[in-house]
Amino acid sequence: MVSSKVKVLSLLSIIIALIAFLYKKHTDDRLRQKLDHVLSGLLQAEKKATPTVPQIKIAIGFGGCLDYVLDALEFAKKFNLTAPDEPEHYDSVESKEQLSKLFAYFFRYGAAAERFVSNETLFKEVIKEAEGMARLRKALGGNAPLMARRLSLEGANVLLASRLSKELLKTLPDTIKVIGNPIDVDDIHVILEYDSGSQWENFTAPRANRLIIHSDNRNPHLETLEQFEKELEVFDPSLLVIGGLQMMDNFPFQEGERYTRLQKLQNLLAKTKSSTKIHFELASFTDKSLIQDIIETVVLYADSLGMNEQELPNLISQLTGDNVTLISDPYPRTAAVLDQMRTVYRYLMNTKEINGHRRLTRLHIHTLAYQAILTSKESQWKNTMSAAAKASLTANRYVCGSDNIDTMKVRLIMDDSFSSSKSEFGKRIMFTEDKPVSCWEEEDYKICVAPVLVCTAVLQTAGGGDNISSAALLYQI
Ligand SMILES: *[C@@H]1O[C@H](CO)[C@@H](O)[C@H](O)[C@H]1NC(C)=O
Ligand SMILES: *[C@@H]1O[C@H](CO)[C@@H](O)[C@H](O)[C@H]1NC(C)=O
Ligand SMILES: *[C@@H]1O[C@H](CO)[C@@H](O)[C@H](O)[C@H]1NC(C)=O
Ligand SMILES: *[C@@H]1O[C@H](CO)[C@@H](O)[C@H](O)[C@H]1NC(C)=O
Ligand SMILES: *[C@@H]1O[C@H](CO)[C@@H](O)[C@H](O)[C@H]1NC(C)=O
């Protein structure tokens, strides 16, 4: 009697386990199927347009460096960084203790950041430690060279303003014309990468990201500016891309030097022919006066802007006169980001076209979960839908380090539907698996949003923004 009861019970539990297993298998299969659909939808959207290469002429400035890519936690351990009780933010880093606090500050939000190390001795120690690490990966770095390489690989005719060592120059395709005399020793940027969910004592990173530290004395001066200016007149590109200005952030310039350099850049942009479109790629800034200067000298001259979700609220607060936001939501709601995009567009689309100023006609925001591109209807930017798909696929390919996307190594963060705005005018936009890129028109502009198949086997995150931005731009010129 007792034994048959036991038998029934154990049979029952086997049945329950089997049902649970089948149910899980069913939902797993369903999820895989959904990911496969999204992937093939994105691939189709990518193929719908072909970029206008080869031979399209693109000029890119400024800067470049040698990246030391490291596992952040391994480095923290080797370098004896102890997790602080209280994370803290510093505009620039002076000591080991500040480095620990700063790292913790961004790590716990999984937020990207890039900071100047003002203590040379400390930075030398960092380099020495890095060089002793088995898993150190050295690579060409800097927004401009990375974008240049990407665009050149796609077949464009590229002019690059960057001073690099002979060794790094060798890593660039020969087809890129480099402005700037070679240097003996490259500036090193240390990239501390971490994975989603990784733990540093009692801190946990909610997403994969990196902290970049450097003590770069060359790039903040935009040394190639004068030569670049001369060369540009002859080259006459279809697109001029400006990036790398974040190197000026918190750099100890001589009084007035920073503004003088930016003004020089402003002159260059102001006299650029209107047939040359200007794109500016923003990056991590903390110095409010620098952002203000950059808005005045660069942003007002740009036809197109690219940035991530951290930089977007920062730009808005500067345009509207508020404070710099150091950290913003790492998983911003689509509606919130779209509203912020409208704000930036409204501010900058009305720029009076005098003194070389340009109206903003394109805005590309890259976030972990999706890519959003806004283009004005009257502008010449083409293929916004394919460009968004391309950006999304590039995000996965870059982070996973492979051209073939494996749906076993991805996840979707975007919900099944999203609201187009937090305001009363917001429409609910359904996300369709087979046609994953949603595009719609409002007033005088068009918006396309493409979900990202977020890579879960992260190889690299630093430089992703540049890779993504340039891939999308090529579809639009
Ligand atoms: C870290 O601590 C260990 C053990 O105390 C020591 O051998 C090593 O030199 C330290 N490294 C640094 C970079 O301070
Ligand atoms: C981490 O632990 C320390 C004590 O070991 C504590 O003081 C600190 O508040 C903790 N931090 C967090 C984020 O929980
Ligand atoms: C600079 O770094 C060195 C090496 O870590 C350290 O000994 C020194 O105290 C630091 N200087 C300041 C001003 O914090
Ligand atoms: C951008 O990513 C692609 C992989 O999709 C890679 O082939 C290319 O080399 C990357 N470009 C740079 C500059 O890292
Ligand atoms: C900006 O920051 C300053 C100093 O932290 C603070 O006093 C001021 O209230 C802030 N302004 C806004 C608009 O948040």
Side-chain angles (χ1 to χ4, degrees), residues 105-244:
Y105 187 87
F106 290 106
F107 180 81
R108 66 189 163 148
Y109 295 112
E114 183 164 348
R115 294 292 176 270
F116 181 75
V117 178
S118 54
N119 181 338
E120 264 181 55
T121 324
L122 174 65
F123 196 68
K124 279 195 186 121
E125 288 175 3
V126 168
I127 296 295
K128 193 162 158 250
E129 195 62 53
E131 285 174 343
M133 286 175 60
R135 289 204 294 153
L136 167 68
R137 200 160 52 83
K138 297 185 186 181
L140 170 71
N143 303 66
L146 292 183
M147 290 182 102
R149 188 162 67 183
R150 177 80 219 162
L151 292 166
S152 164
L153 285 174
E154 304 274 359
N157 178 356
V158 178
L159 179 75
L160 167 67
S162 178
R163 295 193 65 192
L164 298 167
S165 68
K166 293 214 170 83
E167 288 79 63
L168 277 189
L169 283 169
K170 271 190 233 146
T171 68
L172 286 174
D174 309 335
T175 46
I176 298 180
K177 178 165 185 197
V178 184
I179 300 298
N181 304 327
I183 50 179
D184 291 336
V185 186
D186 289 296
D187 276 295
I188 296 172
H189 292 199
V190 176
I191 306 198
L192 302 170
E193 298 256 3
Y194 48 84
D195 239 324
S196 169
S198 54
Q199 285 204 315
W200 188 37
E201 295 177 28
N202 53 8
F203 300 104
T204 306
R207 59 166 281 191
N209 225 323
R210 83 285 174 180
L211 172 69
I212 302 178
I213 51 174
H214 64 86
S215 192
D216 192 325
N217 282 310
R218 188 187 305 279
N219 284 311
H221 300 287
L222 311 182
E223 287 175 335
T224 47
L225 187 54
E226 280 75 7
Q227 263 175 290
F228 192 46
E229 181 165 7
K230 256 189 235 147
E231 204 68 37
L232 271 179
E233 281 169 19
V234 189
F235 190 63
D236 191 20
S238 305
L239 178 68
L240 168 59
V241 178
I242 304 292

Side-chain angles (χ1 to χ4, degrees), residues 143-427:
N143 303 66
L146 292 183
M147 290 182 102
R149 188 162 67 183
R150 177 80 219 162
L151 292 166
S152 164
L153 285 174
E154 304 274 359
N157 178 356
V158 178
L159 179 75
L160 167 67
S162 178
R163 295 193 65 192
L164 298 167
S165 68
K166 293 214 170 83
E167 288 79 63
L168 277 189
L169 283 169
K170 271 190 233 146
T171 68
L172 286 174
D174 309 335
T175 46
I176 298 180
K177 178 165 185 197
V178 184
I179 300 298
N181 304 327
I183 50 179
D184 291 336
V185 186
D186 289 296
D187 276 295
I188 296 172
H189 292 199
V190 176
I191 306 198
L192 302 170
E193 298 256 3
Y194 48 84
D195 239 324
S196 169
S198 54
Q199 285 204 315
W200 188 37
E201 295 177 28
N202 53 8
F203 300 104
T204 306
R207 59 166 281 191
N209 225 323
R210 83 285 174 180
L211 172 69
I212 302 178
I213 51 174
H214 64 86
S215 192
D216 192 325
N217 282 310
R218 188 187 305 279
N219 284 311
H221 300 287
L222 311 182
E223 287 175 335
T224 47
L225 187 54
E226 280 75 7
Q227 263 175 290
F228 192 46
E229 181 165 7
K230 256 189 235 147
E231 204 68 37
L232 271 179
E233 281 169 19
V234 189
F235 190 63
D236 191 20
S238 305
L239 178 68
L240 168 59
V241 178
I242 304 292
L245 301 186
Q246 75 278 10
M247 296 311 303
M248 295 178 142
D249 201 64
N250 287 293
F251 180 74
F253 281 104
Q254 308 264 315
E255 176 81 35
E257 189 193 351
R258 188 182 79 195
Y259 193 64
T260 312
R261 296 309 285 160
L262 283 173
Q263 265 184 323
K264 198 94 205 239
L265 174 57
Q266 177 180 25
N267 292 338
L268 179 156
L269 298 175
K271 67 177 197 197
T272 298
K273 281 196 223 160
S274 61
S275 56
T276 302
K277 293 274 166 267
I278 299 178
H279 172 83
F280 174 49
E281 189 69 23
L282 266 86
S284 182
F285 291 101
T286 61
D287 183 341
K288 197 171 154 174
S289 68
L290 175 61
I291 306 181
Q292 208 58 60
D293 288 350
I294 286 180
I295 290 177
E296 184 190 321
T297 57
V298 182
V299 171
L300 290 178
Y301 295 84
D303 300 282
S304 165
L305 295 176
M307 71 199 83
N308 69 23
E309 78 285 352
Q310 300 289 324
E311 292 132 20
L312 179 61
N314 226 339
L315 176 64
I316 292 184
S317 38
Q318 286 304 303
L319 288 172
T320 58
D322 295 338
N323 282 332
V324 170
T325 16
L326 290 170
I327 294 279
S328 50
D329 187 352
Y331 295 115
R333 307 296 307 177
T334 317
V337 167
L338 293 173
D339 284 337
Q340 291 173 339
M341 289 175 74
R342 291 182 186 97
T343 305
V344 169
Y345 179 68
R346 281 195 197 111
Y347 259 89
L348 296 172
M349 67 168 280
N350 287 319
T351 305
K352 287 219 171 56
E353 289 168 311
I354 46 168
N355 306 327
H357 284 165
R358 297 177 180 210
R359 293 173 39 211
L360 187 77
T361 50
R362 179 177 182 274
L363 181 58
H364 177 180
I365 306 298
H366 19 106
T367 82
L368 182 69
Y370 51 88
Q371 300 288 325
I373 302 180
L374 180 158
T375 47
S376 99
K377 279 191 217 163
E378 280 175 15
S379 68
Q380 286 162 20
W381 303 107
K382 313 180 284 199
N383 309 324
T384 305
M385 198 266 290
S386 296
K390 176 75 178 175
S392 154
L393 291 165
T394 304
N396 178 292
R397 289 172 182 146
Y398 184 84
V399 176
C400 268
S402 160
D403 270 354
N404 288 323
I405 298 174
D406 177 356
T407 48
M408 292 296 266
K409 293 186 195 155
V410 305
R411 68 193 167 112
L412 264 181
I413 299 181
M414 216 164 129
D415 298 332
D416 285 337
S417 73
F418 60 88
S419 173
S420 68
S421 171
K422 288 201 291 188
S423 77
E424 59 200 281
F425 307 108
K427 284 186 305 185

Side-chain angles (χ1 to χ4, degrees), residues 8-50:
V8 168
L9 277 179
S10 57
L11 192 64
L12 209 63
S13 60
I14 288 172
I15 291 173
I16 289 172
L18 194 67
I19 290 174
F21 170 78
L22 287 175
Y23 180 74
K24 177 156 186 327
K25 183 164 180 326
H26 174 76
T27 46
D28 283 357
D29 287 352
R30 177 66 200 95
L31 185 65
R32 277 300 303 283
Q33 204 180 39
K34 175 172 176 179
L35 292 173
D36 286 338
H37 282 166
V38 172
L39 175 59
S40 68
L42 286 171
L43 290 170
Q44 259 175 26
E46 179 188 38
K47 274 201 224 102
K48 263 210 175 118
T50 23

